[in-house]
Amino acid sequence: MGNYHVRFRGRGRGQSHREPSPLPDGVEDFEEITIRHSKYAASRFALEAEPALIQFADSSPMPFVNGIKAARERIVARDDDDRQSFLRKRGFSKAETTKIIDTVLMEEGRPPETVFDFVQGITRVARDKQHQDVRLDMEGKAKKLLDLAA
């Protein structure tokens, strides 16, 4: 039997497994619900997720928008040495660093300078990773960079 994983804002009811979710800065009050696939999983999901999904739909996107805006404005690298150093200090290998910088250069037509540029490059490179644990690790590092901008 599998699990259903849902991330949403708010508090559900019931007895499913809950734990904090590592989402970008500006995203508050989120939690993760895991409901084991069983005969009553669909009704439990509806009971627990509906109030939180309604609250999420009615909430303001401004904290998230402000976080992205701050990441776009925060310049962290002005030359090639800064770019290499910025990523290497955050746990990226030399090969990953080069790939991230080259990806931003190719897709944006300029080298990365802001936190947002680096996050875009990291998540783009992560999508090409074959193994989920490697992708999630890279995306976790991107999340930490977004936290840096706030």
Side-chain angles (χ1 to χ4, degrees), residues 33-138:
I33 290 180
T34 301
I35 300 175
R36 297 212 182 275
H37 182 34
S38 68
K39 183 176 180 180
Y40 301 106
S43 61
R44 267 200 346 264
F45 173 79
L47 177 70
E48 295 182 23
E50 182 182 19
L53 290 171
I54 289 169
Q55 182 182 358
F56 175 75
D58 293 338
S59 66
S60 170
M62 289 315 296
F64 180 73
V65 170
N66 290 338
I68 297 298
K69 184 178 178 183
R72 285 183 170 179
E73 293 172 352
R74 177 100 185 262
I75 295 175
V76 293
R78 297 197 184 274
D79 60 31
D80 289 339
D81 289 339
D82 289 348
R83 288 181 255 288
Q84 292 280 334
S85 176
F86 181 77
L87 290 171
R88 297 285 286 153
K89 286 180 182 175
R90 281 148 186 88
F92 292 97
S93 70
K94 191 171 185 175
E96 289 171 331
T97 296
T98 300
K99 180 92 171 149
I100 292 165
I101 293 168
D102 289 348
T103 298
V104 174
L105 185 57
M106 182 178 62
E107 292 193 0
E108 300 298 323
R110 60 180 175 72
E113 295 179 338
T114 67
V115 170
F116 186 79
D117 293 339
F118 284 102
V119 169
Q120 291 291 93
I122 294 165
T123 56
R124 176 61 187 98
V125 170
R127 284 194 304 264
D128 291 337
K129 297 296 181 183
Q130 185 176 11
H131 299 287
Q132 182 176 358
D133 57 338
V134 176
R135 280 193 308 273
L136 291 174
D137 181 54
M138 287 189 82

Side-chain angles (χ1 to χ4, degrees), residues 3-17:
N3 293 332
Y4 296 108
H5 297 281
V6 180
R7 291 180 176 166
F8 61 89
R9 172 179 252 164
R11 304 285 179 233
R13 297 184 312 256
Q15 299 178 4
S16 61
H17 175 70

